[in-house]
Amino acid sequence: MGKSNLFGKDLICTQEWSLDELIQVLELAEEMKRNRFKYSSFLKNKTFFMFFYNPSVRTRQSFECAMTELGGHAQFLEPKTMRLKTATTAGETIEDAAKVMSRYACGIGIRILEDKVTRYGEGDELIREYARWADVPVISMAHDKFHPCQGLADIMGLRKHLGKDLRRKKILLTWGHGALARSWSSLQESLLICSRFGMNITLAYPKGYDLDSEVIELTRNNCDENGSYLETTNDHLEGYRGTDVVYSRNWMSPNAYKDGAFLKEEEIRKAMEHKKWICDSEKMKLTNDAIFIHPMPVDRGHEVTDEVASGKRSIIYDIAENRLHVQKALIALLMSDCW
Ligand code: CP
C-alpha cells in the first residue's frame, strides 16, 4: 500500500476517504498505541479547536489528550462563546468564523447532534459549510449523520480482536430500547465502514426505526463491491445466530422531528415499549462467541445487560481507548508538517 499525503484533508464521513487512506490511519494508530509518547513534538505549539454544540465525555477527553500527547493544545469552544448567526439571531457567519479560526488553529473539530438541529441532515450541512470556508482540516466529532472517529475506533478494535482481515466476519447492529433517543450517527458510520472492510452485516430493529435510506444504499453498494451482504430484520433474535460481533444501540425513529422540534420525550416513550430489544446473555449464546461493542455511553439495563456489557467478551473500553489513538493518528496525518 502506498502512503497518501493526507495533510489538509477534512474528515466528515469515512465513506469519503479511500480504503487505503483509512488503513493508513489505522496502522499509524496501532503504531501510536505501541509507542504512545514517541510523537510528542508532532503538533508542538499548535492548537486544535473543539467546537461542541452537545456534551461529550470520550470525544472531548480523547481529543484533548491526543493534542497534549502530540505536543500541542486543544481548546474547548461552545456556541455560547461564539456569537454566531442563527436562523433567529444576528451574529457572525460561518464563513467569517471559519476563516478567522483558521488563522489561529491547525484544525477544527465540530460536534452537533440530534437535539441541536431542527431536522435530520442540518448538522451535516453545518459541518460541511465550516469545511467549505476553513483553510485548515475540519473533523466531525459526531454529527447528526456520521461519527467517523468512532467508526475508525470500532474497526481498530475489531482488527485487534478478530484479525486484520475482517472480510466475511459477521456483525449484528441491533436496535436497543432506552431512554436516550440517540442520533443515527454512530450506527450509520458503522454500517459504512464495516461494509468497506468487507464485513457481512445484519441490521435488526423494530418496525418504524428505519435509518437514512441513502446510507443503506451506500452500504449495499459497498457490500456488492466486496462480495459481502447487508440483511435487515425486524426480529430481535434472528441476527444473533452465528454472528462474530454484536453492537447494540438505541436510535431515534425517522419521525423524531416535527415543525423544527426534536420530540425527545415522545421518542423515549415509544422506545420504552420495546422492552424485548435488549442484548442479554441468552441472546449472546446464539452467537459465534461474539465480542460485544458499543461506542458508549452505554444505557445499561436497556440497550444491554450489565452481564454482557461488563462480560469477558465485551471490548467497550478497548474501543473507547482507541478513540485516543485514531484521533492522534488523524491529527498527525492531517495537521503535522513533521513527516
Ligand atoms: N462515543 C462518544 O462519542 O462518546 P461521547 O459522546 O462521550 O463523546
Side-chain angles (χ1 to χ4, degrees), residues 109-164:
I110 301 173
R111 161 167 291 203
I112 181 160
L113 289 169
E114 66 289 327
D115 59 334
K116 295 295 185 286
V117 293
T118 61
R119 59 180 165 76
Y120 170 73
E122 194 177 31
D124 191 69
E125 288 163 15
L126 177 134
I127 205 164
R128 288 181 195 280
E129 186 69 1
Y130 270 94
R132 177 180 170 209
W133 296 110
D135 300 315
V136 294
V138 170
I139 297 180
S140 167
M141 301 192 301
H143 64 283
D144 53 355
K145 276 191 162 181
F146 303 117
H147 195 349
C149 299
Q150 187 63 54
L152 284 162
D154 293 346
I155 293 290
M156 184 174 171
L158 298 185
R159 279 160 63 96
K160 176 169 186 285
H161 289 272
L162 300 179
K164 289 198 175 165

Side-chain angles (χ1 to χ4, degrees), residues 314-325:
S314 170
I315 61 163
I316 58 175
Y317 304 128
D318 281 1
I319 285 181
E321 179 192 326
N322 291 345
R323 293 290 306 278
L324 169 67
H325 307 304

Side-chain angles (χ1 to χ4, degrees), residues 59-219:
T59 303
R60 177 179 179 180
Q61 292 173 3
S62 55
F63 267 105
E64 279 201 35
C65 289
M67 277 306 281
T68 302
E69 292 183 14
L70 292 167
H73 169 69
Q75 187 175 136
F76 177 76
L77 301 166
E78 293 177 283
K80 69 181 179 202
T81 64
M82 302 267 289
R83 286 183 312 215
L84 290 167
K85 181 176 163 62
T86 70
T88 52
T89 59
E92 192 156 37
T93 62
I94 290 179
E95 175 181 351
D96 287 342
K99 287 205 167 290
V100 171
M101 290 161 92
S102 303
R103 298 289 175 105
Y104 303 138
C106 62
I108 303 167
I110 301 173
R111 161 167 291 203
I112 181 160
L113 289 169
E114 66 289 327
D115 59 334
K116 295 295 185 286
V117 293
T118 61
R119 59 180 165 76
Y120 170 73
E122 194 177 31
D124 191 69
E125 288 163 15
L126 177 134
I127 205 164
R128 288 181 195 280
E129 186 69 1
Y130 270 94
R132 177 180 170 209
W133 296 110
D135 300 315
V136 294
V138 170
I139 297 180
S140 167
M141 301 192 301
H143 64 283
D144 53 355
K145 276 191 162 181
F146 303 117
H147 195 349
C149 299
Q150 187 63 54
L152 284 162
D154 293 346
I155 293 290
M156 184 174 171
L158 298 185
R159 279 160 63 96
K160 176 169 186 285
H161 289 272
L162 300 179
K164 289 198 175 165
D165 185 358
L166 294 172
R167 287 175 298 173
R168 311 297 167 267
K169 296 286 184 193
K170 186 185 160 190
I171 183 166
L172 166 65
L173 300 168
T174 179
W175 189 88
H177 77 289
L180 290 176
R182 298 187 196 266
S183 82
W184 294 345
S185 62
S186 298
L187 259 299
Q188 295 193 153
E189 192 70 55
S190 185
L191 280 167
L192 292 173
I193 198 166
C194 289
S195 56
R196 296 290 296 290
F197 279 81
M199 296 185 77
N200 291 327
I201 302 174
T202 302
L203 181 62
Y205 53 92
K207 285 192 175 130
Y209 285 90
D210 289 342
L211 295 169
D212 183 336
S213 58
E214 283 180 21
V215 174
I216 298 296
E217 193 181 331
L218 282 171
T219 305

Side-chain angles (χ1 to χ4, degrees), residues 169-172 200 202 239-246 286-291:
K169 296 286 184 193
K170 186 185 160 190
I171 183 166
L172 166 65
N200 291 327
T202 302
Y240 282 85
R241 294 200 173 83
T243 196
D244 301 298
V245 186
V246 174
L286 301 172
T287 70
N288 182 27
D289 196 22
I291 52 177

Side-chain angles (χ1 to χ4, degrees), residues 234-295:
N234 298 132
D235 186 297
H236 71 110
L237 275 179
E238 195 179 302
Y240 282 85
R241 294 200 173 83
T243 196
D244 301 298
V245 186
V246 174
Y247 180 148
S248 172
R249 172 94 165 165
N250 174 255
W251 66 81
M252 67 185 199
S253 80
N255 304 318
Y257 295 93
K258 191 169 176 208
D259 301 331
F262 180 63
L263 308 177
K264 185 167 183 170
E265 297 312 315
E266 175 61 8
E267 282 295 306
I268 293 170
R269 188 197 61 72
K270 279 191 307 188
M272 294 302 276
E273 289 173 1
H274 297 282
K275 293 207 184 319
K276 67 184 177 188
W277 286 83
I278 180 169
C279 175
D280 62 23
S281 297
E282 287 308 304
K283 291 176 184 168
M284 290 299 278
K285 283 181 191 160
L286 301 172
T287 70
N288 182 27
D289 196 22
I291 52 177
F292 177 80
I293 69 171
H294 190 292

